[in-house]
Amino acid sequence: MPTAIEFNNVSKQYRLGLVSTKTLSHDLNRWWQTTVLRKEDPYLKIGSVNDRTKAADSEYVWALKDIDFKVEQGDVVGIIGKNGAGKSTLLKLLSRVTTPTTGTIRARGRIGALLEVGTGFHPEMTGRENIYMNGAILGMTKPEITKKLDEIIDFSGCERYIDTPVKRYSSGMMVRLGFAVAAHLDPEILVVDEVLAVGDAEFQKKAIGKMQDVSRGEGRTVLFVSHNMTSILNLCKNGVLLENGSIRTLGPIADVVEEYVKQSVAGSKLVTHYEKKETDPDIQADYIRITSFEMLDVTKTALEYGNKMKGRIHVESEKELNHVGFRITLKNMTGMPVAMSKMDKPVFIKEGHSVFDFEMDTSMLVPDNYLVTFALYIDGNQVIDVVRNGFSFEIIPNEGFNDGYRWQNNIFGNVSGFQLKLLK
């Protein structure tokens, strides 16, 4: 396959702090050294690594450093990494929003980009006028844009407001129209930043489906940035993991996501005890809440594959309640739900403080790190309190585990059920 995008030793340097009078002196010095004296840019020799968690030791920072990779035509590449890793900067360089400090970028074909909410839209122009303006920027003629117009409007779901200035659009409507324009005006390369998170679930599903059609059916190239690892794994073939402005891993998407998860787990502490401070804003019941829960053996943050885990839940209630159920949902570190269970029998909750011990069968869980969500419910499915991602533990492999099916079960598989037994 021909190469669609090529990054050759690309770096981007920024100056930290407010713009001041010293900026002009730096620019004049750079011009004097490079243009008049024909010497190397003096500021390329300085600059700190792009680690947002540490204080700077230089006035300059490398937002990207020595980025070097190729993307084949028709490939779908996921760009992942922590906040501040350089993902958006990389896409802005490709979209020519800004220029690299060093290196070159070659892109073959027109680029349709959706980098931020409202990018490329004029707020005083209507949605219809902005569609024509964006098409003209991409080099399309008016008849070509008109041919696609109805399809764009229908996909965006903004037909009622299409002749209203976009400054009156919500952020979700802006993203809908922006993505519809970027995806339908025949760009050879589609660049999408994590703005899709602004849209609702129905639109995100449509957008993912459209990107799959664009890449698989039409042979166009897609670069996709997201923190949703499920979307990344379902959509992308290959991936790039950025860390502090440099490439940490490059290759098949499953390998890149696995490295990203390891990186995330290494930087976080597993929690064996949780105390709730606030009521979840989505829960209406204010008469009951889970105040805390913990593993009974607090010295143990990891369990061998197949062993049972024992825990304890503390509940405060302002009144007596019959037939209260407990539900536990487990997510892996990518945020994808992988298992769910209800308590084997409903419980009676007295007024005041109650304590419930439970035993969780982990034999269906593959070795990984898990986030735990607890919920109380009545009348079948009415949730009266919930603690989201408040507890975590690790399953470690032993001789009884076959590592060959780890990823297909834990990332590509469906939500499974497991046994949750009340001890007292």
Side-chain angles (χ1 to χ4, degrees), residues 142-159:
K142 187 174 181 179
E144 288 176 322
I145 302 169
T146 302
K147 186 177 179 181
K148 294 274 187 176
L149 186 63
D150 290 341
E151 190 177 351
I152 292 170
I153 295 172
D154 179 65
F155 186 91
S156 71
C158 300
E159 184 172 2

Side-chain angles (χ1 to χ4, degrees), residues 110 130-141 145 181 185:
R110 293 181 296 202
N130 272 291
I131 292 173
Y132 279 98
M133 183 181 71
N134 273 261
I137 291 170
L138 284 173
M140 299 183 69
T141 64
I145 302 169
V181 170
L185 289 180

Side-chain angles (χ1 to χ4, degrees), residues 161-173:
Y161 302 96
I162 199 64
D163 291 310
T164 300
V166 297
K167 66 181 181 181
R168 298 195 177 100
Y169 285 21
S170 68
S171 59
M173 288 170 60

Side-chain angles (χ1 to χ4, degrees), residues 110-129:
R110 293 181 296 202
I111 298 174
L114 186 60
L115 302 180
E116 296 172 3
V117 176
T119 299
F121 283 173
H122 193 294
E124 300 295 337
M125 296 171 64
T126 67
R128 189 186 304 271
E129 290 167 342

